[in-house]
Amino acid sequence: MDANTVLLFLSLLFGFYMAWSIGANDVANAMGTSVGSGALTLRRAVILAAILEFAGAFLVGSHVTETIRSGIIDPQLFAEDPMRLVCGMLAALLAAGAWLQLASYFGWPVSTTHSIVGAIVGVGAVAYGLDAVDWGWSGMSGIVLSWVISPLLAAAISYLIFQLLLRFIFYAPLPAVAARRATPALVFLVFFVMSLVTVYKGLGSLKLDQLPGTYAVAIAAGVGLAAAGLSTLLVNRLRQPTPAELGPEYARDNLRSLERAMRHLRRVQLAGDAQTATEAGRILQEMRSLSQRTEVALAQAQDPVSGSNAYRDVERVFVLLQIVSACFVAFAHGANDVANAIGPLSAVIQTLQTGEIYAKAQASAGILALGGVGIVVGLATWGWRVIQTIGKRITELTPSRGFAAEFGAATTIVVASKLGLPISTTHTLVGAVLGVGLARGIGALNLNTLRDIIASWLITIPAGAGLAIIFYYILVMIFL
């Protein structure tokens, strides 16, 4: 077996390993909040994410990808010795995959893009020196900036969204009625924003991300209006909420009305004849029983943030919205982030086949399928570890809080994409969950978990670079 055949086999193996690691770590971005809030069971989340991640990766994953992801170093540096590029990309895939696997083992949500970038930085630095790395705002400086921008912007937006939900739905006199009235508007916003996320983050291969902004907005608005119209029809066909589901203010109104009626009946009982007094007494007894049941219903309507029975009907609305959001994010993630695995893999295969270096590499349907399958297998085997961290270990989530976090993260991605701000999807979602937790006070956050997550973010690029340097030297010793 010649060296090229061995390198080709290793490229497929390391590419699959990297895709597996992406599935194990990054897919929690789509499903973590849904599992944590109880909107989806872990099994259903895995099945749903597997279908959508693979569909995004295989159907609309880019067939033409950058040979060196994110343009951190110039691939033409390797033009005089293409085999160094092969060894470098193999080292980068193995290093990024290994770091992601370690982070997944501990349940740390880290950026897969930053992992592969760190590995490529290590390869570029050891092969051609630190000057080979782009340290400007289009390169490493922009990535470092994203560590701050992503979580802070997402936290602020998610905090605001959750406060608006509390103000206009949970603290409304009749929360269940307010939720039903708001459903079409919420559905429109979800489909509008998620359609923009899909256009900008998932459909690059179809060139839809290059559409003028007005066209993209028009497409997203059309999708949103269609979904809102359908939701209006469905809401009108649902049963009306019972008094117990209408919230505490309804129960208080009932109690006040019953007390007034009982006062009038007592007057009738005192002023009437014997038969009237007896009948009034019987009715009074029934009204006292009704009043006691109403008091029990009022006692059960506790703080809306606790997710008690009085607000269960409201939370059902957000269960559906959260599942829809998760599906959009999973599809866009599969389409976009599969390039972190197939970019270096395609570079290796193209270089081995032609002996030349290209800035862009062709990814065949088979390579896209390999990446999609790797993501699905990683999600199914180890994905639960990071899902548990995002969904349960940062703060307690309910469907409404999970919706606020997911929708806030998606809104942040759209805003940052249009403003040209560098962001990380992983950092964005963690920041969004943080913002929702802060809406309930600092005591609602698990600060130990947050400390570990932030530390893992800071370590990601140095860890990827260090591992890549070690693997690069080993591969060069063997094959060059």
Side-chain angles (χ1 to χ4, degrees), residues 339-358:
N340 286 327
I342 69 168
L345 171 58
S346 299
V348 171
I349 293 174
Q350 189 160 296
T351 301
L352 289 174
Q353 290 175 342
T354 66
E356 297 182 9
I357 304 295
Y358 298 91

Side-chain angles (χ1 to χ4, degrees), residues 149-205:
I149 291 177
S150 300
L152 291 184
L153 184 58
I157 292 176
S158 298
Y159 178 91
L160 177 61
I161 289 171
F162 189 57
Q163 290 293 346
L164 290 173
L165 293 179
L166 290 177
R167 169 69 179 81
F168 291 105
I169 295 180
F170 285 97
Y171 294 154
L174 305 177
V177 172
R180 287 168 182 264
R181 289 174 179 168
T183 295
L186 289 171
V187 168
F188 169 80
L189 288 173
V190 166
F191 276 84
F192 175 73
V193 171
M194 291 300 173
S195 295
L196 289 177
V197 169
T198 305
V199 167
Y200 291 130
K201 296 291 286 184
L203 297 178
S205 64

Side-chain angles (χ1 to χ4, degrees), residues 280-404:
R282 184 184 64 78
I283 297 173
L284 266 172
Q285 186 62 35
E286 291 178 357
M287 294 185 74
R288 288 193 189 100
S289 177
L290 179 59
S291 178
Q292 288 172 354
R293 292 198 300 272
T294 305
E295 286 177 352
V296 170
L298 178 59
Q300 291 175 345
Q302 301 166 353
D303 178 10
V305 188
S306 69
S308 59
N309 290 339
Y311 292 90
R312 192 172 296 164
D313 198 52
V314 177
E315 292 289 359
R316 287 195 194 103
V317 173
F318 293 103
V319 167
L320 297 175
L321 292 174
Q322 200 179 4
I323 292 172
V324 168
S325 301
C327 290
F328 271 102
V329 173
F331 183 82
H333 176 267
N336 185 67
D337 278 28
V338 72
N340 286 327
I342 69 168
L345 171 58
S346 299
V348 171
I349 293 174
Q350 189 160 296
T351 301
L352 289 174
Q353 290 175 342
T354 66
E356 297 182 9
I357 304 295
Y358 298 91
K360 301 281 186 179
Q362 291 290 330
S364 66
I367 296 301
L368 286 172
L370 179 75
V373 170
I375 289 175
V376 169
V377 174
L379 164 66
T381 52
W382 271 29
W384 62 272
R385 295 173 180 270
V386 182
I387 285 176
Q388 291 281 358
T389 298
I390 288 180
K392 296 183 181 296
R393 293 178 188 162
I394 298 175
T395 190
E396 182 185 354
L397 292 176
T398 60
S400 56
R401 294 177 211 155
F403 165 78

Side-chain angles (χ1 to χ4, degrees), residues 23 85 90 105 118 134 187-188 238 248 253 266 298 302 413 468:
L85 176 67
L90 288 177
Y105 177 80
D134 180 3
V187 168
F188 169 80
L238 293 175
D253 286 344
R266 279 192 286 269
L298 178 59
Q302 301 166 353
I413 290 169

